[in-house]
Amino acid sequence: MRRATLAVMLASVVAAPVSAQQAASGTNASALSASPFGPVEAGDPATVKMPQLTFTSDGTEAGDFDKYYAFHRADTDYATAYVDIAECDGYARGLQSGIGYMQTPYPYAGTMAGALGGAIGGMMAAAIFGSGEKRRLRRVNMRTCMNFKGYDRYGLPKGLWEEFNFEEGLSGVTEARRRGYLQVQALVASSGTLQGKALGL
């Protein structure tokens, strides 16, 4: 059921051409969105600081480029980039890993101690595996959605990436912090200078 829900979410991205830049032709792009999440307000790009994007490669950071990266699309204004990123974030947030508690037969099954141990074991499994899987699903959805919208993906070292990105496992970020991160990501996506080659999906 959860996989079916995720498939429907991604299908809705592909089924409806959602080039916010096209939709906003001649209008205020910061208040438009073709997404089911409603209109968004990008804010003033003059108040958003461009993060550090240049780095000296040590030859090892590329191994983590599937996790740490930024998007960019040429000839895209900040407001349009924010609308696009906010929409993709809407699809990617709130995902569930699908890992839950499963009863396993053992000598203390059906006892109070067994129930307590099972509950602790379930929480540990969710903390260890569920959080990582949720972060992975978020990356997959963001990459799929932004790739469909025509944005290229460029790798970044983890330290630079952490300055304007967040990971969402079992806990999330506040709406204010999320908006701030998305604004910086939109600035990078529209006017940032990223190193290296485009990585594709």
Side-chain angles (χ1 to χ4, degrees), residues 120-176:
I120 293 172
M123 287 187 294
M124 289 179 62
I128 296 170
F129 302 108
S131 183
E133 179 64 6
K134 190 173 179 181
R135 291 194 300 269
R136 186 191 70 81
L137 289 174
R138 175 179 171 76
R139 289 194 297 269
V140 168
N141 263 18
M142 287 298 294
R143 286 166 58 165
T144 301
C145 182
M146 293 296 283
N147 178 267
F148 175 74
K149 290 174 177 292
Y151 288 83
D152 290 316
R153 186 173 65 90
Y154 296 86
L156 286 174
K158 181 180 179 180
L160 297 186
W161 179 89
E162 289 177 330
E163 292 299 314
F164 62 103
N165 288 275
F166 61 94
E167 289 196 289
E168 208 162 30
L170 296 180
S171 60
V173 297
T174 65
E175 288 303 315

Side-chain angles (χ1 to χ4, degrees), residues 4-5 11 20 24 26 28 39 42 46-47 54 57 61 65 72 99 102-103 111 134 145 160 166 168 173 180 189 195:
T5 302
N28 179 9
T47 65
T54 59
S57 174
E61 67 280 338
F65 282 174
H72 184 268
I99 296 174
M102 292 183 293
Q103 179 67 44
T111 67
K134 190 173 179 181
C145 182
L160 297 186
F166 61 94
E168 208 162 30
V173 297
Q195 294 179 213

